[in-house]
Amino acid sequence: MRSPRLRFLAAAAAPLAFLAVAACSPDSDGADGPSTTSSPDDAAATSAGPSDDLSDVAVEQQDGVPVLNWHGEPLAEGDLPFVTHETQSEQLQAGDGEEVGAEHDVQVRYLAVNGTTGEEIVSTFGTDETVTLDLTDETLLPAFRDNLPGTSEGESVLMALPAEDAFGELGNEQLGVGPEDTLLFYMEILDSYPVAGEPVEPVEGLPTVESDGETPAVIDVDGVEAPDELVVQPLVQGQGAEVEEGQMVFVHYTGVKLSDGEQFDTSYNRGQPFNFQVGSGQVIEGWDQGLIGQNVRSQVLLVIPAEQAYGELPEETDSTTAQPAHELAGEDLVFVVDIIAAY
């Protein structure tokens, strides 16, 4: 069984969306045309400018927040534009953790600066915010897929991306990035782990599952007895961090009724993961209880008794004001949940 790739999460949060190729188009209708953030003179100057050496850029900490200096001065006050015609990457601090692989999730903090204007674009520093990059995700900027494998947990790197390796000829008007602008990134690598988890030996008496990580799971409930209590069984053991109460969790899932195996819902048919705050009552009780403590990148089987799903069928009543029962009331439910990320 394969874990689903983090293809759609890039649209969920601005710091992550910025790192995705999908963010390149400035208009939702796909209209062509350069960004208006740079005048023709600016663009011409940038295009004609010399290629600059990344080693002349330094990172300094100001109240615990990194800023970029160029030739000893704040980048925005230097002799701009800063231009590179090929991707450059420089290690600033060695890491002593596990090596990042080409098929890993990588948890990072980062600062992005426009080399043409010296202006900060996005920063996750100064908050508790981190970003997890799926290096198998083809929508991720190629510079990260090419340069992060081989680094180590605890390492910090500085990167310069030419326009053609970043937002290309369209630029990104919303972010203030012109079609010729070089981008500078300072990135701290916090953690990494394989995208694919380890399969777990099936448990006798539970539903059997076939899953390819790209389409709805096929769940066979034949002969499975109704549960007396919530059943939580990992099918694939991920190596990411444990899901904590209060986190925003991103998942793909498929749900069937235990009574007849009929599928009643799946996120795959909607083309994007489902996200919710775990432990806050936004989902049924079986999810809130069952997913806390599970590891990111795990695939988890939940067999949920009706009272922890949509409740038991209500007793008959003559009241015309009684609320109608949920269509799944009285049903024991089975879900296969792929935990993609948790923040």
Side-chain angles (χ1 to χ4, degrees):
M1 292 180 288
R2 295 168 54 200
S3 296
R5 291 183 176 180
L6 195 54
R7 293 185 183 276
F8 306 100
L9 187 55
L16 184 52
F18 175 64
L19 302 178
V21 177
C24 293
S25 175
D27 300 304
S28 59
D29 60 4
D32 293 333
S35 165
T36 60
T37 57
S38 296
S39 70
D41 289 342
D42 290 337
T46 303
S47 178
S51 182
D52 283 285
D53 190 345
L54 187 61
S55 63
D56 291 332
V57 178
V59 179
E60 294 189 1
Q61 300 288 331
Q62 294 184 0
D63 298 325
V65 177
V67 295
L68 300 187
N69 285 354
W70 188 20
H71 297 294
E73 296 183 356
L75 187 70
E77 300 175 13
D79 185 18
L80 297 174
F82 181 98
V83 181
T84 185
H85 298 299
E86 61 181 6
T87 294
Q88 301 181 52
S89 181
E90 179 181 346
Q91 182 192 77
L92 300 183
Q93 176 178 311
D96 57 4
E98 295 292 326
E99 182 174 312
V100 175
E103 297 187 354
H104 275 204
D105 280 333
V106 185
Q107 186 184 44
V108 302
R109 287 192 293 259
Y110 80 94
L111 164 68
V113 176
N114 188 324
T116 297
T117 65
E119 296 296 323
E120 178 182 302
I121 303 172
V122 178
S123 177
T124 65
F125 294 94
T127 69
D128 292 331
E129 191 171 19
T130 62
V131 169
T132 300
L133 309 179
D134 174 359
L135 297 185
T136 70
D137 184 355
E138 296 177 359
T139 69
L140 192 66
L141 288 177
F144 302 115
R145 290 189 278 120
D146 293 342
N147 287 278
L148 291 180
T151 59
S152 301
E153 296 169 5
E155 186 169 332
S156 61
V157 296
L158 185 63
M159 301 178 66
L161 278 60
E164 64 183 19
D165 289 347
F167 292 107
E169 62 183 11
L170 296 181
N172 190 307
E173 183 175 357
Q174 182 179 3
L175 295 171
V177 178
E180 303 287 343
D181 293 354
T182 291
L183 300 184
L184 293 164
F185 289 89
Y186 169 68
M187 188 169 289
E188 295 179 356
I189 300 166
L190 307 177
D191 192 13
S192 73
Y193 45 87
V195 169
E198 292 293 329
V200 176
E201 188 72 23
V203 175
E204 187 176 352
L206 294 182
T208 58
V209 176
E210 295 182 7
S211 173
D212 62 8
E214 302 287 344
T215 58
V218 178
I219 305 170
D220 185 355
V221 300
D222 187 39
V224 178
E225 297 182 358
D228 294 326
E229 57 185 15
L230 174 67
V231 176
V232 181
Q233 176 58 48
L235 303 176
V236 174
Q237 183 62 57
Q239 298 184 39
E242 290 187 0
V243 174
E244 299 179 2
E245 183 175 357
Q247 285 187 314
M248 187 64 66
V249 180
F250 296 78
V251 303
H252 263 309
Y253 69 90
T254 300
V256 304
K257 295 186 291 184
L258 182 60
S259 58
D260 58 11
E262 179 187 357
Q263 178 183 300
F264 59 84
D265 194 13
T266 178
S267 60
Y268 288 99
N269 289 348
R270 294 189 289 276
Q272 62 182 19
F274 171 64
N275 62 281
F276 65 100
Q277 186 180 34
V278 68
S280 65
Q282 295 181 0
V283 292
I284 59 176
E285 182 183 344
W287 274 45
D288 267 345
Q289 289 190 14
L291 297 183
I292 292 174
Q294 300 301 312
N295 294 83
V296 172
R297 289 298 185 181
S298 291
Q299 183 180 77
V300 182
L301 175 70
L302 301 175
V303 185
I304 306 176
E307 60 267 24
Q308 291 180 287
Y310 293 98
E312 301 285 1
L313 283 171
E315 297 181 3
E316 293 186 10
T317 176
D318 294 330
S319 173
T320 59
T321 61
Q323 294 294 320
H326 191 281
E327 62 182 5
L328 292 172
E331 293 279 1
D332 300 322
L333 304 180
V334 179
F335 287 92
V336 172
V337 183
D338 289 285
I339 305 174
I340 300 172
Y343 298 100

